[in-house]
Amino acid sequence: GNGFFGVVAGGGGVSKLASFGGSSQVRAAIILPLKCSASNDKLFLASGRECTTVTIRDYRSPSGITCTKSKHGVTSLPSLILSATPILSKQLALLTSDGFIHIRTLSCLPVPLQTIEVSPHPNDFFALRRLSSSRLLCISYSSAAHTFSLSSPTLQDVADTVMKLAIDAFGPNNFPRKELAEATNVSYSAASHVGPDASSATRSLLRHYAESLLFRDNDDDDDDDDGGASAPEKNLPPPLLIAIAALLCLACCDDRRYSTLANRAAKQVTTSLPSPSAMVQPPRGIVALVNVVSDRLRKEAAASSISLLSESSSSSLNQSSNSDDKMEFVEASVWLLRSCNLHARAMQVLQERSSGWTRIKYESYTAAHLHELWMSRKEEWRDLVLEGGITRELLERHARLGLGVFISDFPQSDNEWRRVTWQDDPLCDPDAMRVVGLLKSMTLHGGADASARSSAAIQNNSPSETLPLVTGRALAITYLENATGVHTGRPTESSRFDILQVDTTSTDEMIASLYDELCFLLLEGVIDERGDDAERDTPLGTLLRNKLTRLLKFPPARYRPERILAALPSRFLQEHALLLGRLGRHEDALRILYRDLRDLDLALQYCDERHARRRVTAKTSKDNSSSSSSSCVYLPLVKVALETDPVHGTAAAIRVLALRTTVVDRGAALRLLPENLPVSAVARPFLIPALVDGESRVRRLTVAAALLRSKYLALKRDLTEAQIQSQALWHTVPALKSLDLGGVMKTSMPVDAAIGRGTGSRMIGAVVLVKHFFARHLLIQAKVTNGTRTLTDVAFAVAESSDEAIAPTTQIPIKTLPPHSTGSAWAVLAASPVRFEGVAILTCEMRYTVLSVDAVSGGPTGFGGGISGGGRKYVEELRDVEVRNTDFDG
């Protein structure tokens, strides 16, 4: 038969690309490149009435060209194909000998999208070319030419095509045609379509077209079923997508080879839909269609199970294949039910038919489904998660996986917590307490020996490891610990925790209740593990008590200490101290730690934690009051030590001062010590280190001050240079721009000004004057070159004018002029040239201030700008300036 062969120039064998049906006539071949890349080339091949696409994979194979053929095979058209051209997005226009143009998609050539009649006479038009992405040109043998405008298929076109193909595939009465027509708004002609008898060929055509819509990003020629980066057509509405996926699954039921395709299509559509919280309930027709298809898929899975039992004598490989096919159909049924928000039914179906999956696969799938419903935040789906038996069953079988339904999206690091807004914070979840109630009510397997198994698990791990999830209380504790972030890096500074504060009292009450619940759960666990007569905690009790202590120390914790104190047994001394500290009774807390527990290190640790929190608070609030004696956190410990035992307490107080020399208020601490205490007792441990540290701090601060002073002077010097540069030309001076002087008419030559005999004659090196004449103003520029001292407020002034027709109005001084620098001062005079004749004499002078010099740095002690007492003022006379009325003539 006819065929296409490929060969690479320069070597390699001849490869057959495609085979067409046999024919006694030789037909012209059409080869159209459709998509080219560095690795793949896609070609459209046609000859006679047949056409197909192939993808070239490899040109360098020693055996020849490697290609992948279209999964749809060879497509036949009613007449001979004369010409072809690509149009729009992944579409082809084919001109046939009967005078028609056929619009087809590359992803599904067998399905016609549109047919355009070009001429009633066959074999008249022979060439088809694309003018643009939406215009075609068709040329005939008689030199006639027609142009056609094309448009992309509308949603109505897609829905009508799907309905017609479904009627052809299943017949008019073997699927909910009426409901589907109402749900997808198909036209009357499509709903009443009468096609050929249903057959495997028509069902195959429906499968191909549905695939082309559901997996638009996949190459049409790929045979893999992994889905990859495929995605459904973006413009299709969810109801139509669900209908297409359901019809595809229905078309796959007759052949187990397509079980994977059915599952892939159902999953693809469901995962591409909006989340359950944003998705609108599909129309009743779509739900009816999904229910019919879901039942059919489950029946096909049941038939596979019966087939598997009847073939028990066959090989294990065939049994495994049949089992996989069965679960593919079941999973497809579940995905379709989920697409219509029939989540309860979906979980029930999977629970009943999950025997073909491993236990961990079923549990993982169920946990992901429950988590999706929980994160939707819709009340009906959350009720399903909390009140349905599936969640309890999952928690009983795999506690950690079941707990992940609620906590898998909780922040797990400091950065993640800082990005959380109060609306998304786990503590602000209105259903958090319902979750705690569910977890507490769980009775896990082996409840009688849960404590023993927990202790055994802890002994095999570090005491700081995660709490073993063997009881409902352990589940609730783990959930609340993740919600509060006590072990996952929630920011400890109070300003970061304030993101949880809202304007409603109910939210604050809910947060406090969650913290209280966690405290009580930990306390109950410690009490249960210890018992009435036991003197030591079990390994599990030790772990729970460490967690309780850490929670009570946790700065962002919002528990209510008075409630915890009321329920706390008297033997929990350290916990009593922490709660008293939270109430602000720090001296009472330190008395328990130092006097009752006799543990100075523990009391010192308590003070260190207070000091660390105080520093964080001072840093965030820019408050440095923590260095005052009234706020020193170590002084209460010194007081408690001295009042407890005059002998040993004094030694303990000196030890506290010695260990925290750098942070304690030294003067206030020394005043607390007994008056009869010899200096030698505190000299070596405290006084000498304090003096050394003080001197070292003074030296460090002196060096830092000098560096900052040097940096400040450098920045000031750069600013001064920029200001001088901005006053170098008259049109760049902001103050002159606001005067609206107009265009300059004339500029005089620079003239040296002879300096008089003023007291400051040695301060300024030179003064050069330049006159700029405008229509009604005279602008005098004084270029001043400084000597060896820093000058400020350097102004050029016109002290007197011999003619009233020209008078000074504005002065623009130089703010700061460093030594050996040149800057420009400006004076503006209002002039009326028509009012004076001859020459006007202007008496001029320079006025400036000389700054004092810093003896340490050698620089000025101030920088002008009107600083009173910042230097000595000087006035220098300049040579008189002559102005003629003819200078204004330009």
Side-chain angles (χ1 to χ4, degrees):
N2 297 331
F4 286 84
F5 297 85
V7 62
V8 179
V14 178
S15 302
K16 192 169 187 177
L17 303 181
S19 296
F20 292 160
S23 175
S24 59
Q25 298 181 359
V26 177
R27 303 295 185 184
I30 300 176
I31 303 177
L32 185 65
L34 300 176
K35 184 184 70 174
C36 300
S37 63
S39 58
N40 297 337
D41 287 335
K42 179 172 290 189
L43 302 176
F44 170 77
L45 308 176
S47 178
R49 297 188 303 109
E50 298 175 316
C51 61
T52 189
T53 58
V54 296
T55 301
I56 308 299
R57 298 299 187 188
D58 188 5
Y59 291 102
R60 301 175 179 84
S61 175
S63 59
I65 298 175
T66 303
C67 67
T68 302
K69 299 179 182 179
S70 173
K71 65 175 68 175
H72 309 303
V74 177
T75 301
S76 296
L77 270 68
S79 302
L80 299 178
I81 302 174
L82 302 179
S83 183
T85 183
I87 58 173
L88 297 174
S89 174
K90 296 185 178 182
Q91 294 183 13
L92 277 176
L94 307 177
L95 175 64
T96 55
S97 59
D98 56 0
F100 287 91
I101 296 177
H102 303 267
I103 309 299
R104 306 288 176 103
T105 62
L106 292 176
S107 54
C108 190
L109 284 175
V111 178
L113 298 182
Q114 187 179 2
T115 302
I116 304 173
E117 183 178 5
V118 180
S119 172
H121 307 291
N123 296 316
D124 186 9
F125 287 81
F126 68 94
L128 187 65
R129 296 293 184 268
R130 182 183 66 177
L131 298 179
S132 64
S133 61
S134 60
R135 291 188 66 82
L136 292 177
L137 173 66
C138 196
I139 305 173
S140 71
Y141 288 104
S142 60
S143 301
H146 289 174
T147 60
F148 304 91
S149 296
L150 303 175
S151 60
S152 299
T154 63
L155 295 178
Q156 185 69 57
D157 296 334
V158 176
D160 289 350
T161 302
V162 171
M163 174 60 76
K164 293 178 182 179
L165 292 176
I167 294 175
D168 293 343
F170 308 115
N173 301 316
N174 293 331
F175 73 101
R177 178 165 59 99
K178 181 180 179 181
E179 292 82 356
L180 177 61
E182 294 176 354
T184 56
N185 295 320
V186 300
S187 63
Y188 176 80
S189 60
S192 58
H193 168 73
V194 178
D197 293 337
S199 64
S200 59
T202 57
R203 285 190 290 274
S204 177
L205 197 61
L206 174 61
R207 281 198 303 269
H208 293 163
Y209 184 66
E211 280 188 85
S212 68
L213 295 176
L214 298 181
F215 311 111
R216 296 283 293 182
D217 295 341
N218 263 8
D219 287 339
D220 314 317
D221 308 10
D222 292 347
D223 290 328
D224 57 333
D225 292 329
D226 57 356
S230 62
E233 174 62 42
K234 297 180 180 179
N235 297 326
L236 297 181
L240 185 55
L241 276 176
I242 297 173
I244 294 172
L247 292 173
L248 175 59
C249 292
L250 190 60
C252 294
C253 287
D254 293 339
D255 196 336
R256 297 178 190 171
R257 294 176 302 173
Y258 298 110
S259 59
T260 301
L261 175 61
N263 183 22
R264 177 187 170 200
K267 180 179 179 180
Q268 180 68 42
V269 169
T270 304
T271 55
S272 65
L273 295 176
S275 63
S277 60
M279 184 177 175
V280 180
Q281 184 67 24
R284 290 183 300 173
I286 296 297
V287 176
L289 175 63
V290 165
N291 281 322
V292 170
V293 176
S294 177
D295 292 341
R296 178 64 186 278
L297 289 170
R298 293 197 298 275
K299 290 179 181 178
E300 186 62 30
S304 299
S305 301
I306 296 174
S307 175
L308 180 62
L309 293 175
S310 63
E311 297 175 2
S312 58
S313 59
S314 61
S315 64
S316 59
L317 181 61
N318 291 335
Q319 295 181 19
S320 176
S321 177
N322 288 338
S323 178
D324 292 341
D325 293 341
K326 164 195 168 183
M327 289 310 300
E328 293 286 357
F329 284 131
V330 171
E331 188 175 357
S333 172
V334 172
W335 282 115
L336 285 178
L337 292 171
R338 290 179 60 176
S339 69
C340 292
N341 283 341
L342 303 175
H343 297 285
R345 178 62 178 156
M347 288 188 286
Q348 180 183 359
V349 168
L350 187 59
Q351 185 182 30
E352 295 172 353
R353 304 294 183 93
S354 63
S355 58
W357 275 355
T358 62
R359 175 178 171 180
I360 187 61
K361 183 176 181 180
Y362 165 73
E363 292 172 350
S364 300
Y365 183 95
T366 303
H369 189 185
L370 291 171
H371 175 69
E372 179 183 347
L373 296 178
W374 182 257
M375 293 308 298
S376 70
R377 296 182 181 272
K378 291 189 70 173
E379 184 178 357
E380 56 180 317
W381 304 135
R382 288 201 162 188
D383 290 343
L384 177 62
V385 173
L386 293 175
E387 299 174 6
I390 301 294
T391 306
R392 286 184 170 274
E393 178 186 349
L394 181 62
L395 287 167
E396 291 175 354
R397 290 187 174 183
H398 198 305
R400 193 163 300 280
L401 196 60
L403 188 61
V405 171
F406 307 103
I407 69 172
S408 58
D409 277 354
F410 286 1
Q412 297 297 316
S413 65
D414 178 86
N415 290 334
E416 292 181 5
W417 277 110
R418 292 180 185 276
R419 292 194 295 266
V420 171
T421 60
W422 73 265
Q423 296 92 338
D424 297 328
D425 195 287
L427 291 177
C428 289
D429 191 336
D431 294 314
M433 194 58 74
R434 294 178 63 193
V435 176
V436 174
L438 170 66
L439 298 177
K440 288 169 57 178
S441 66
M442 291 301 303
T443 302
L444 304 184
H445 297 299
D449 59 340
S451 178
R453 291 192 293 114
S454 299
S455 298
I458 294 172
Q459 288 176 353
N460 295 329
N461 299 281
S462 171
S464 60
E465 291 293 330
T466 306
L467 185 66
L469 302 180
V470 295
T471 62
R473 180 168 53 208
L475 289 172
I477 289 174
T478 304
Y479 170 80
L480 288 172
E481 284 183 337
N482 281 270
T484 58
V486 65
H487 297 301
T488 55
R490 183 189 284 270
T492 57
E493 59 267 29
S494 58
S495 61
R496 287 300 307 172
F497 191 74
D498 287 342
I499 60 175
L500 295 180
Q501 292 182 347
V502 292
D503 297 331
T504 57
T505 307
S506 59
T507 302
D508 294 334
E509 182 72 18
M510 178 179 63
I511 295 173
S513 298
L514 291 173
Y515 273 108
D516 290 348
E517 184 68 24
L518 179 55
C519 291
F520 286 128
L521 287 173
L522 291 170
L523 181 59
E524 291 172 3
V526 175
I527 295 174
D528 290 348
E529 288 298 315
R530 172 175 286 194
D532 297 333
D533 300 330
E535 297 181 358
R536 293 185 179 181
D537 293 324
T538 62
L540 177 59
T542 301
L543 176 59
L544 292 172
R545 189 163 189 177
N546 291 337
K547 288 178 175 291
L548 176 60
T549 302
R550 183 169 182 175
L551 176 63
L552 296 179
K553 294 179 179 180
F554 192 42
R558 293 291 184 89
Y559 58 82
R560 288 164 284 201
E562 62 280 359
R563 293 187 59 188
I564 312 300
L565 275 173
L568 191 67
S570 58
R571 61 176 180 268
F572 288 78
L573 296 178
Q574 184 179 358
E575 289 76 8
H576 266 283
L578 295 175
L579 291 170
L580 290 173
R582 183 58 67 100
L583 291 172
R585 298 165 56 183
H586 299 294
E587 289 192 13
D588 293 337
L590 289 172
R591 287 189 183 92
I592 294 176
L593 297 175
Y594 176 76
R595 184 183 62 190
D596 299 341
L597 291 177
R598 300 182 181 275
D599 194 333
L600 178 62
D601 294 334
L602 197 59
L604 194 59
Q605 180 184 356
Y606 175 89
C607 296
D608 291 339
E609 292 170 354
R610 280 194 63 205
H611 178 71
R613 291 195 298 270
R614 184 70 62 82
R615 291 189 61 183
V616 171
T617 303
K619 183 178 180 180
T620 55
S621 62
K622 308 299 182 182
D623 180 16
N624 297 322
S625 61
S626 59
S627 59
S628 63
S629 60
S630 60
S631 61
C632 180
V633 298
Y634 296 94
L635 295 183
L637 178 57
V638 175
K639 294 180 181 178
V640 169
L642 292 174
E643 71 183 19
T644 301
D645 186 352
V647 178
H648 297 90
T650 302
I654 294 175
R655 183 186 174 192
V656 172
L657 299 180
L659 292 176
R660 300 296 181 265
T661 302
T662 58
V663 294
V664 74
D665 188 336
R666 297 160 186 169
L670 288 175
R671 286 190 292 271
L672 291 177
L673 295 177
E675 296 181 357
N676 58 354
L677 183 68
V679 176
S680 59
V682 295
R684 182 178 296 275
F686 176 62
L687 293 179
I688 295 177
L691 292 174
V692 172
D693 178 71
E695 293 180 0
S696 176
R697 183 177 299 180
V698 169
R699 289 193 296 269
R700 290 195 304 270
L701 294 177
T702 301
V703 172
L707 293 175
L708 291 175
R709 173 70 176 176
S710 175
K711 184 177 181 179
Y712 170 75
L713 292 176
L715 292 175
K716 186 63 179 179
R717 189 179 301 108
D718 294 341
L719 176 61
T720 301
E721 292 176 358
Q723 291 174 342
I724 293 174
Q725 185 65 28
S726 67
Q727 289 191 195
L729 301 174
W730 71 269
H731 52 76
T732 62
V733 182
L736 295 178
K737 290 181 180 180
S738 62
L739 297 178
D740 193 16
L741 301 176
V744 63
M745 302 175 59
K746 179 180 178 181
T747 300
S748 68
M749 297 295 293
V751 177
D752 292 335
I755 300 177
R757 299 180 179 179
T759 57
S761 59
R762 297 182 182 179
M763 296 299 173
I764 294 180
V767 178
V768 177
L769 302 181
V770 179
K771 293 175 287 184
H772 304 276
F773 295 92
F774 297 84
R776 302 185 62 83
H777 294 87
L778 170 62
L779 177 63
I780 301 179
Q781 177 183 8
K783 297 182 179 180
V784 183
T785 301
N786 192 12
T788 60
R789 301 287 293 274
T790 299
L791 307 180
T792 62
D793 297 329
V794 182
F796 171 78
V798 177
E800 186 178 358
S801 173
S802 63
D803 197 318
E804 295 180 353
I806 183 168
T809 59
T810 305
Q811 294 180 4
I812 303 175
I814 305 172
K815 293 182 179 180
T816 304
L817 189 63
H820 311 295
S821 300
T822 300
S824 296
W826 302 83
V828 181
L829 295 89
S832 299
V834 297
R835 293 177 51 193
F836 72 91
E837 298 180 357
V839 180
I841 305 299
L842 304 178
T843 303
C844 304
E845 60 188 21
M846 294 299 304
R847 303 171 183 174
Y848 54 88
T849 302
V850 179
L851 295 183
S852 303
V853 178
D854 189 349
V856 178
S857 63
T861 57
F863 290 96
I867 301 176
S868 61
R872 186 176 178 183
K873 296 183 179 181
Y874 292 83
V875 176
E876 293 188 13
E877 297 180 357
L878 301 179
R879 189 175 63 179
D880 293 343
V881 176
E882 297 181 355
V883 181
R884 305 177 183 275
N885 59 351
T886 57
D887 293 334
F888 291 92
D889 296 338

